[in-house]
Amino acid sequence: MSNGENILADALNELAALGTARDREQLAALLDRLDAARLRVLVVGEAKRGKSTLINALLDRDVLPSGVTPLTAVATTVRYGNDPRAEALFLDGHQEKYPLTALADLVTERGNSRNRRRIGDVTVYLDEPLLAAGVELVDTPGTGSVFEWDTEAARAALQSMDAAVFVLT
């Protein structure tokens, strides 16, 4: 870390000592991104604006499910990893690994309606140059969806962003 990053890390650690357990969790995630030199970019917008399609285009491959009806139900982070897979973090705190072919069953309204599987978020690991450079892309459920829980999931994801791309029609 550079001196400026050390100062920021020290300040974040001091803040963590003053905060709640949830504050400490959020600050730890921020420190982790700072240490790993990762930039977390959320792709946000209303339902059916092409957020998943845009991420697939940036990756130059179809990884995220996309379709003509509101589809994304769970925030999905795409980050670098040399072992392609999906990892689901469940609301009860446990994690499970899946092949990429299981992604639609985890993150879509069709495969996980109303998030009945109780998944907090999903992380996809891919060996892609953009991701290897330290960028994380986050596909969020659409705001203004006919599914109220999608809007809430999108709002929750906004708390972890470093930058956002707002997709319009």
Side-chain angles (χ1 to χ4, degrees), residues 70-142:
L71 203 60
T72 305
V74 176
T76 308
T77 300
V78 184
R79 73 167 50 152
Y80 178 77
N82 55 14
D83 175 24
R85 67 190 183 284
E87 291 185 3
L89 174 62
F90 289 80
L91 295 175
D92 66 6
H94 84 279
Q95 282 188 296
E96 293 181 18
K97 293 181 183 180
Y98 297 89
L100 292 178
T101 55
L103 200 54
D105 292 333
L106 301 170
V107 303
T108 67
E109 282 300 333
R110 202 172 314 126
N112 185 14
S113 180
R114 295 182 183 239
N115 196 12
R116 72 183 183 299
R117 298 179 79 171
R118 312 242 333 120
I119 296 173
D121 60 65
V122 171
T123 302
V124 171
Y125 294 89
L126 296 172
D127 185 5
E128 291 289 334
L130 174 66
L131 306 173
V135 174
E136 289 182 353
L137 299 170
V138 183
D139 187 23
T140 61

Side-chain angles (χ1 to χ4, degrees), residues 24-42:
R24 286 188 294 277
E25 182 180 302
Q26 288 178 326
L27 288 168
L30 183 58
L31 281 165
D32 180 50
R33 288 198 317 272
L34 179 65
D35 188 47
R38 283 194 316 259
L39 177 68
R40 187 169 174 83
V41 179
L42 268 66

